[in-house]
Amino acid sequence: MVEKVKPYVKDFWRYRHLLNNLISRDIKVKYRRSALGMLWSVLNPLLMMLVMYVVFSQIFRMTQMNRGDVEVNFAVYLLTGQLMYNFFSEATQTAMSSVLSAAPLIKKVYIPKYIFPLEKVAFSFVNMIFSLIALILVMVFTRTPVHATVLLFWVPMVILFVFNFGVGLILAAGTVFFRDIMHLYGVAVTALMYLTPIMYDVSILPDWARAVIPFNPMYWFVSMFRDFVIYGEFPGINAWIGTCMSALVALVLGLALFKKSQDRFVLYI
Amino acid sequence: MSMIEVRDVSMRFNMAKERVDNLKEYFIKRVKGTLKFEEFYALTDVSLTVEKGDVYGLVGLNGSGKSTLLKIVAGVLKPSSGTAVVRGTIAPLIELGAGFDMDLTARENIYLNGAVLGLEPAFIDAKFDEIVDFSELRNFLDVPLKNYSSGMVARIAFAIATVTKPDILIADEILSVGDFLFQKKCEQRMRELMSGGTTVLIVSHSIDQIERLCNRVAWLDHGHIRMDGPVEEVCAAYKSLGQSAGEGAGA
Ligand SMILES: Nc1ncnc2c1ncn2[C@@H]1O[C@H](COP(=O)(O)OP(=O)(O)O)[C@@H](O)[C@H]1O
Ligand SMILES: [Mg+2]
């Protein structure tokens, strides 16, 4: 087993700088010629949240998302959900086309190909860290009380990283052979967003939707993150199973599928 | 000791008449059983052995499979059957500037391309001046690559690729880019590497160059090895092809 994994580890070690380089290139390209540069990464989620906050608080009259005696401002509730969901949707969507857009490279030199989806997930992770700053600002501004569990905020992020990488591998490999996956997945991400309690609480859902929602991995990621960060609770066993199992299944499936098809990529891109 | 061992390699490409890359077509064709590809062999049962210190040339007409063979040796393509075993580090000069991002500056690209080739940043730091001096582009270092001419891009790419002392250098018609002074310089650099013990596998459409540099040559013809041996014999036979073709046209 160890012997089998060794060449992969060696390969990864050799190309770790490529990973760094690609991430910093993505950052450079993203902020080139914008006056505010990196600041946009914080500003963007703030402004998006502001828009949604205004819509929901003014039109739908939602201002508090309390649980028990913990009072939570709707803006904080919204931003925590968005943070997790945006990481998922950005990471998987960019990973999906990562192999295709690396075609010029893949056709010219040998590079371990999983680098490309991995890089996109890592880049989205960096973007999420910027959004985290926005979240902290909003939490301070709304005087949201913090609990000791907040120190574990990174746990769902790391599990979600693994989940995203697994899903990204599956999508990246699939898209090489069938471009329609790109269009389908865009729709799927939107549908899944409405099935994730980002701007509503599960209690408002009809029975059928409440029966379906446990099968949505993002539901578990979002609720685990909120438990840690705003409700000061340790997530229940279901949340752990929901997040860890979906990450594991996605990763194993993704690696297997990717490994099986990667030698044929160069013939289809 | 052999550095490159190619055994019975065949490379099959699917020349899909219509490219099936969407699900609807795929399923319809799959169900109807009309999912067919025109198969095309770019290489058929190719075997060759490159010994340590060899400068091995590949000649052949356009489309005879030279680039395909180099890509298999470099690990870019997996052969449909057969094996290619390579012992040692490879510097691939197959297409220059793999991974160059035209929007980034030359300086940034040197690091990016180095990483693509699996080089350590510290190593590039140490060799930075050498790369810049070789490419003679010091004044343009902070200019985005899109403002470079293709010859200038080739210079940097060649300088980075040869800054390591690889065990094996694989070069595909790269000496045809750039002006004649740069070509001379490249040849000089390749000679340096060779005398340092680097094994070379090279494709060139200049027979003169092959005769100057190589000790062994293989002649590829429609994906088959037609001849393989010492440089004089193979080049003489290959050149006679041109003469007989010339005569045929003349007659
Ligand atoms: N990715 C590919 N898909 C289909 N056919 C290819 C591909 N790459 C090369 N070929 C075909 O293989 C043959 C050999 O090409 P190549 O190795 O580039 O020849 P050379 O370098 O000797 O001119 C050509 O007929 C070319 O069209
Ligand atoms: Mg060629």
Side-chain angles (χ1 to χ4, degrees), chain A residues 195-250:
Chain A
L195 255 187
T196 308
I198 296 171
M199 41 209 155
Y200 59 80
D201 188 78
V202 202
S203 58
I204 66 158
L205 290 178
D207 286 343
W208 70 265
R210 246 188 288 180
V212 172
I213 222 167
F215 295 99
N216 171 9
M218 285 317 295
Y219 164 65
W220 297 110
F221 283 106
V222 168
S223 53
M224 181 186 268
F225 187 64
R226 280 184 184 142
D227 281 351
F228 279 135
V229 175
I230 54 182
Y231 293 120
E233 280 175 26
F234 199 77
I237 183 80
N238 284 346
W240 289 103
I241 295 176
T243 52
C244 293
M245 279 310 281
S246 39
L248 194 71
V249 169

Side-chain angles (χ1 to χ4, degrees), chain A residues 13-269:
Chain A
W13 192 244
R14 180 164 181 227
Y15 287 97
R16 70 195 187 284
H17 300 299
L18 179 60
L19 199 59
N20 282 343
N21 262 286
L22 292 175
I23 295 170
S24 65
R25 180 193 65 180
D26 272 1
I27 294 174
K28 270 178 210 154
V29 169
K30 186 170 174 190
Y31 298 112
R32 190 184 307 116
R33 283 196 210 109
S34 72
L36 293 178
M38 297 276 221
L39 207 57
W40 275 117
S41 283
V42 180
L43 226 51
N44 204 312
L46 271 182
L47 293 175
M48 291 294 246
M49 184 221 53
L50 206 67
V51 172
M52 287 177 81
Y53 181 71
V54 169
V55 170
F56 279 89
S57 63
Q58 298 306 306
I59 302 175
F60 298 110
R61 308 256 164 234
M62 295 165 89
T63 49
Q64 297 281 261
M65 296 302 262
N66 302 343
R67 183 194 287 177
D69 49 7
V70 184
E71 288 188 11
V72 170
N73 186 291
F74 181 72
V76 176
Y77 184 87
L78 187 64
L79 206 51
T80 44
Q82 270 189 333
L83 188 92
M84 284 274 121
Y85 200 83
N86 287 354
F87 176 36
F88 165 74
S89 82
E90 188 191 312
T92 52
Q93 293 198 73
T94 51
M96 177 168 58
S97 49
S98 63
V99 169
L100 280 184
S101 40
L105 210 53
I106 292 174
K107 282 181 183 169
K108 286 177 188 169
V109 282
Y110 167 77
I111 293 176
K113 292 166 195 58
Y114 62 81
I115 287 271
F116 302 109
L118 182 59
E119 185 266 323
K120 291 301 179 195
V121 178
F123 177 57
S124 306
F125 190 86
V126 173
N127 286 337
M128 176 178 63
I129 298 299
F130 281 110
S131 308
L132 196 63
I133 300 173
L135 175 63
I136 294 171
L137 289 177
V138 173
M139 283 176 76
V140 170
F141 184 75
T142 55
R143 306 225 167 82
T144 304
V146 287
H147 316 270
T149 52
V150 79
L151 292 172
L152 292 173
F153 73 94
W154 51 272
V155 173
M157 291 182 173
V158 171
I159 308 173
L160 185 54
F161 187 106
V162 176
F163 179 67
N164 288 346
F165 181 46
V167 175
L169 284 173
I170 297 170
L171 292 169
T175 315
V176 171
F177 303 107
F178 303 107
R179 306 289 147 92
D180 359 18
I181 291 177
M182 274 198 266
H183 308 288
L184 278 175
Y185 189 66
V187 179
V189 164
T190 310
L192 203 65
M193 188 188 77
Y194 288 107
L195 255 187
T196 308
I198 296 171
M199 41 209 155
Y200 59 80
D201 188 78
V202 202
S203 58
I204 66 158
L205 290 178
D207 286 343
W208 70 265
R210 246 188 288 180
V212 172
I213 222 167
F215 295 99
N216 171 9
M218 285 317 295
Y219 164 65
W220 297 110
F221 283 106
V222 168
S223 53
M224 181 186 268
F225 187 64
R226 280 184 184 142
D227 281 351
F228 279 135
V229 175
I230 54 182
Y231 293 120
E233 280 175 26
F234 199 77
I237 183 80
N238 284 346
W240 289 103
I241 295 176
T243 52
C244 293
M245 279 310 281
S246 39
L248 194 71
V249 169
L251 184 69
V252 169
L253 219 66
L255 287 174
L257 206 72
F258 200 81
K259 186 166 187 290
K260 195 165 156 255
S261 55
Q262 62 179 354
D263 289 339
R264 285 179 295 136
F265 286 173
V266 65
L267 304 175
Y268 288 85
I269 51 182

Side-chain angles (χ1 to χ4, degrees), chain B residues 61-68 70 172-173 203:
Chain B
L61 303 177
N62 286 338
S64 55
K66 304 180 297 291
S67 301
T68 305
L70 289 194
D172 192 354
E173 296 188 1
V203 168

Side-chain angles (χ1 to χ4, degrees), chain B residues 3-15:
Chain B
M3 299 297 282
I4 303 173
E5 241 173 89
V6 177
R7 285 279 154 271
D8 305 317
V9 159
S10 296
M11 187 71 216
R12 184 185 60 233
F13 289 119
N14 292 330
M15 306 243 292

